Amino acid sequence: MVRIPPDRGLRVFKLFKSSPPPAAAKPEPPSAPCDAGCDGGDLATSSDETPFTGCLVCGEDLVYLPVSAELVCVLCGAAKLGSARCKSGHFACDACHAAPAMDVIEKVCATSDERDPMALALRMLRHAAVKLHGPEHHFLVPAVLVAAYSNVKGEPKKRAERVAEARRRVAPIMGGSCAMLGACGAAVGTGTFVSIVTEATPLKGKERGLANRMTARALTVVGATDAARCCKRDSMLSILAAVKFAREHLRVDLSARGPECEWRPVNKQCGGSACPFHR
Ligand SMILES: [Zn+2]
Ligand SMILES: [Zn+2]
């Protein structure tokens, strides 16, 4: 088990203590109905038969390659560059891995009037289409943030387009980017959120600066765990970093706080005490 020095753990934990405890932050029960008309995401009763973690075909652990290679996706048949396949040789491309989840995330966030981005995130993090790990989390983070921001700001008519724009922008971020690029896709999603709501462009100095500082803040928190990737943990850390940043720089109170982890029993690479969501 990976452990982090106490002082570093405290820095991560400080993020939670600084967030106010809103009434809406309590996680919903797994059986809560989903806006997308699904089964509510209760893993125990899910009708989705694809494995929740590991290889999408057989559930075996993934093996990472030392360098990217052209691999043939067992689901769509396309030859794509990949950096991991399972012990039995199955490779599922990012698009096939994330496609069902991306549609659920977009539909829920485009239509929800939820003002708490963590409460919105938890509904989808528990959804059967959203696997334990995967590039769908790169979209989930900016999607819940732009949706909650639009609702808190009284701009519901901008919500669906902002969510759709977030999906288009994060699409190129590869699965495993946290380790392969040195930039967790969920954390980068917080910069995408700031970019969208401030209408940043490469020519707008202040907005571009804010977006990059947001990403840096989230990456610092994600990196501080020094633990194997956990897309649930890193998504929730990124959301909390964005809530704090939005309060300080966008003058918007999105009011969210960190829940207790509920994926520890199914995550073979769980960071244990390195994860601030373990209480
Ligand atoms: Zn497999
Ligand atoms: Zn594919």
Side-chain angles (χ1 to χ4, degrees):
M1 183 181 296
V2 178
R3 293 186 183 278
I4 58 175
D7 65 320
R8 192 177 300 175
L10 278 175
R11 284 209 303 276
V12 175
F13 242 114
K14 198 174 172 188
L15 196 63
F16 298 88
K17 301 305 181 189
S18 65
S19 298
K26 188 177 180 183
E28 299 171 10
S31 58
C34 168
D35 285 350
C38 59
D39 63 5
D42 184 346
L43 300 175
T45 60
S46 169
S47 58
D48 186 330
E49 294 179 355
T50 57
F52 180 56
T53 184
C55 173
L56 208 57
V57 176
C58 68
E60 275 277 7
D61 289 343
L62 298 181
V63 178
Y64 288 89
L65 309 176
V67 294
S68 304
E70 189 171 270
L71 303 170
V72 176
C73 175
V74 292
L75 299 171
C76 69
K80 296 184 180 178
L81 278 180
S83 58
R85 58 190 166 198
C86 84
K87 290 176 179 173
S88 299
H90 301 131
F91 165 69
C93 72
D94 281 350
C96 286
H97 195 287
M102 300 292 272
D103 291 341
V104 168
I105 293 165
E106 179 163 1
K107 190 168 183 180
V108 171
C109 292
T111 56
S112 174
D113 60 4
E114 176 62 63
R115 297 162 65 94
D116 177 340
M118 188 64 78
L120 189 53
L122 283 168
R123 285 159 62 180
M124 288 171 290
L125 290 173
R126 293 171 178 148
H127 194 285
V130 178
K131 302 304 179 189
L132 182 61
H133 309 297
E136 57 264 43
H137 297 83
H138 305 168
F139 173 44
L140 187 149
V141 169
V144 300
L145 290 169
V146 298
Y149 177 94
S150 300
N151 295 335
V152 170
K153 290 283 284 183
E155 301 170 344
K157 290 183 179 175
K158 294 184 178 180
R159 186 177 56 217
E161 177 50 35
R162 283 170 170 164
V163 172
E165 178 65 10
R167 181 172 181 171
R168 289 190 287 269
R169 291 192 188 184
V170 302
I173 305 175
M174 64 192 283
S177 60
C178 54
M180 302 304 177
L181 298 180
C184 164
V188 172
T190 63
T192 308
F193 150 63
V194 171
S195 171
I196 289 173
V197 300
T198 63
E199 300 182 348
T201 75
L203 303 181
K204 290 177 158 179
K206 184 180 179 187
E207 294 82 355
R208 175 182 171 278
L210 277 174
N212 277 276
R213 291 208 299 281
M214 173 69 260
T215 300
R217 180 91 68 88
L219 282 174
T220 298
V221 176
V222 167
T225 60
D226 273 347
R229 66 86 178 85
C230 171
C231 293
K232 304 304 186 202
R233 178 196 66 222
D234 295 338
S235 293
M236 295 192 290
L237 284 174
S238 296
I239 290 166
L240 291 175
V243 167
K244 189 167 185 284
F245 190 90
R247 190 179 304 130
E248 294 170 359
H249 297 281
L250 305 179
R251 297 179 184 174
V252 174
D253 190 352
L254 298 177
S255 297
R257 65 191 299 232
E260 186 171 352
C261 174
E262 53 195 82
W263 293 277
R264 187 174 195 168
V266 290
N267 185 3
K268 289 183 188 174
Q269 298 94 23
C270 173
S273 60
C275 175
F277 297 104
H278 288 184
R279 310 273 167 81

